[in-house]
Amino acid sequence: MSTFSYIKGLGFHVPERIYTNTDLEKIVDTNDEWITSRTGIKQRHVVEDETCHDLAYEASLKALQEAGMEAEELTHVIVATFTGDMPIPSTSCLLMERLGIKNIAAMDLSAACSGFVYAVEVARALINLDPTAKILVCGAEVVTSRVNWEDRSTCVLFGDGAGAAVMVAGTGDESGKILDTLVRADGNHGMNLTVKGGGSAYSYKAGDTVGVENFVEMQGREIYKHAVRSMTSISNEILKRQGLSIDDVDVLLPHQANMRIIEAVGKKLGILREKVFANVDKYGNTSAASIPIALADARESGFIKDGDLVLLATFGGGLTWGSSLIQF
Ligand code: ACO
């Protein structure tokens, strides 16, 4: 009997402070009508003094609790993020320390908004190597730390938060079975979506002033087209690889970047609108945290029910994209 990876527990956490579209009208020249009609976003959660690993910690506690596991049982911690607390130590090491555990593997993974699905793929490979592995996979971001609050074309899009999943091996048909995962990238178009500052090619000297390169810069239209194309094609590819059709899917759960993108992907895939999960209106785009927040939210709210086949589709900077099929 072949070994599969299972999601045993899910959890998410967002900071308390909320910026509504109306709040943003006081910061940049924008308005609720523009943001709502172009993106579907109504509000986003923004940190006050929490760090990335604080958010990851709260989400992880919930995922561990749902899995019925203690942190001491974990063998690996993976945090997908591009807005970790600091380059060194990694956010996964900070998270481990906070969870009160040591002497296990910890690493951060950088694939922008696709980071969580990439981390799931890495965890699946680790579980195949060692079926006793118990892996905490987290997507955690303080995207607002990398947002230029003077750039209305980007600052309205993002929010902060974290989502976490506990992954273990199994063989049966219990809930959370990951049937397949696919991840892809294309560096040719990477410069359409950048955060350059702080990287070694854009490093600062003591006393330098931070410029716009420190923040998200984006060719919105290019990214929009890539997002729709890539999420649609990888979803079709993973379904084909599993001998399934879109009619077998109970829930499509896409990266929560923009409602227009989410609806366009659903339409191209030919899935009923009521099967498509969206919470971008409440949280905005939380990058690598978006998929695990959406998964945990959809499970908690009953949108994903026992027995449902869930299709994840994601895209992000790099450019990167990916998909996963999970049987709950
Ligand atoms: N409020 C009011 N007006 C605005 C705002 C704003 N917040 N932002 C831009 N505008 C103006 C522009 O200045 C422009 O005005 P002009 O015509 O006078 O020059 C006008 O609105 C149209 O701007 P566009 O950029 O052409 O607007 P578009 O319809 O393309 O929508 C958007 C922009 C929403 C960003 C869209 O391109 C998009 O969704 N792209 C994908 C972005 C995305 O999802 N990124 C996530 C990437 S991060 C990740 O997930 C990895």
Side-chain angles (χ1 to χ4, degrees), residues 17 71 104 108-109 160 166-167 175 182 185 190 192 198 211 279 288 324:
R17 182 167 64 171
I104 63 167
D108 286 6
L109 191 152
D160 304 328
V166 177
M167 286 177 56
S175 181
L182 267 178
N192 283 319
N279 63 8
S324 194

Side-chain angles (χ1 to χ4, degrees), residues 149-216:
W149 291 104
E150 291 180 359
D151 176 8
R152 67 177 181 171
S153 68
T154 53
C155 75
V156 301
L157 304 174
F158 298 99
D160 304 328
V166 177
M167 286 177 56
V168 299
T171 49
D173 277 333
E174 65 259 49
S175 181
K177 183 178 186 176
I178 301 173
L179 303 182
D180 204 356
T181 301
L182 267 178
V183 285
R184 298 270 190 271
D186 178 0
N188 284 316
H189 305 287
M191 297 313 274
N192 283 319
L193 174 50
T194 58
V195 179
K196 300 174 192 142
S200 58
Y202 295 85
S203 56
Y204 303 116
K205 297 188 297 297
D208 278 357
T209 313
V210 170
V212 290
E213 75 287 345
N214 196 51
F215 306 108
V216 173

Side-chain angles (χ1 to χ4, degrees), residues 1-7 124 127-128 131 167-173 176-180 242 325:
M1 200 181 282
S2 40
T3 300
F4 282 87
S5 295
Y6 292 74
I7 292 182
R124 280 198 336 137
I127 287 169
N128 273 335
M167 286 177 56
V168 299
T171 49
D173 277 333
K177 183 178 186 176
I178 301 173
L179 303 182
D180 204 356
Q242 288 299 312
L325 271 170

Side-chain angles (χ1 to χ4, degrees), residues 29-31 34-35 38-39 112-113 152-153 156-158 193 218 220-221 223-224 255 257-258 260-261 285 315-317:
D29 179 14
T30 190
N31 56 75
W34 192 96
I35 303 172
R38 296 299 218 286
T39 73
C113 305
R152 67 177 181 171
S153 68
V156 301
L157 304 174
F158 298 99
L193 174 50
M218 185 176 66
R221 294 230 166 140
I223 296 298
Y224 188 104
H255 172 45
N258 179 319
R260 286 195 303 163
I261 295 175
N285 180 352
F315 76 96

Side-chain angles (χ1 to χ4, degrees), residues 17-35:
R17 182 167 64 171
I18 289 173
Y19 280 9
T20 63
N21 292 348
T22 315
D23 293 330
L24 294 189
E25 289 174 13
K26 294 171 204 130
I27 301 175
V28 282
D29 179 14
T30 190
N31 56 75
D32 176 52
E33 195 282 320
W34 192 96
I35 303 172

Side-chain angles (χ1 to χ4, degrees), residues 12-14 39-45 157 159 162-163 252-259 262 273 276-287 289-301 303-304:
F12 79 101
H13 177 78
V14 290
T39 73
I41 299 167
K42 298 298 284 182
Q43 61 173 46
R44 66 289 291 142
H45 291 248
L157 304 174
L252 170 67
L253 192 139
H255 172 45
Q256 304 290 310
N258 179 319
M259 188 58 94
I262 292 169
R273 177 63 187 87
V276 182
F277 183 77
N279 63 8
V280 67
D281 55 327
K282 287 186 283 182
Y283 303 115
N285 180 352
T286 56
S287 184
S290 144
I291 290 273
I293 288 176
L295 258 183
D297 190 8
R299 262 313 250 171
E300 240 176 74
S301 65
F303 194 95
I304 297 175

